[in-house]
Amino acid sequence: QVHLVQSGGGSVQAGGSLRLSCAPTESTYRSVCMGWFRQAPGKNREGVATMAPSSGGSWYRDSVKGRFTISHDNSKNIQYLQMNSLKPEDTAMYYCARSGPAVCEFDSWGEGTQVTVSS
């Protein structure tokens, strides 16, 4: 479990782009998995994109495929979520998360950053 700090949220018009960043506040172990989640008002938190840095494998929610890209800068230990062609339905609080070094179970979370997309 590590403390994760996020940045990059904001308000944009539909069709616009944003890039979210997330990094631990201290040097830490290598996480098996990294991911991004979001929660809209009145809805449960849902996975948006995840990746396993060691293998390069990634997963995306169907609704964001082709528009969002998860990545990791190994040298800086920063994970990103590039969001393009944003839609109003993408409006939510976005959270980054990381797993421990052994299994892909998310146990470290950022405090969230708001993304608002207007039509």
Side-chain angles (χ1 to χ4, degrees):
Q1 301 90 334
V2 297
H3 180 60
L4 301 175
V5 178
Q6 303 180 220
S7 63
S11 299
V12 298
Q13 296 181 41
S17 298
L18 286 173
R19 187 178 74 163
L20 307 183
S21 301
C22 174
T25 57
E26 67 287 313
S27 296
T28 187
Y29 47 75
R30 300 182 184 281
S31 297
V32 174
C33 296
M34 301 176 179
W36 292 92
F37 297 76
R38 67 187 182 188
Q39 185 170 25
K43 303 185 69 176
N44 292 328
R45 183 175 296 185
E46 63 182 21
V48 177
T50 61
M51 71 176 296
S54 62
S55 68
S58 61
W59 169 89
Y60 295 91
R61 175 166 291 278
D62 286 345
S63 62
V64 309
K65 287 181 178 178
R67 300 189 297 118
F68 291 11
T69 302
I70 184 172
S71 63
H72 177 246
D73 184 325
N74 188 60
S75 65
K76 298 180 179 180
N77 197 20
I78 300 174
Q79 69 185 77
Y80 303 96
L81 183 67
Q82 178 66 47
M83 304 183 292
N84 298 325
S85 301
L86 284 161
K87 303 176 180 180
E89 49 263 48
D90 294 318
T91 295
M93 184 71 73
Y94 283 70
Y95 301 87
C96 63
R98 295 191 180 190
S99 73
V103 297
C104 186
E105 296 180 350
F106 295 103
D107 58 7
S108 297
W109 296 83
E111 294 188 354
T113 186
Q114 180 67 37
V115 170
T116 301
V117 185
S118 60
S119 60

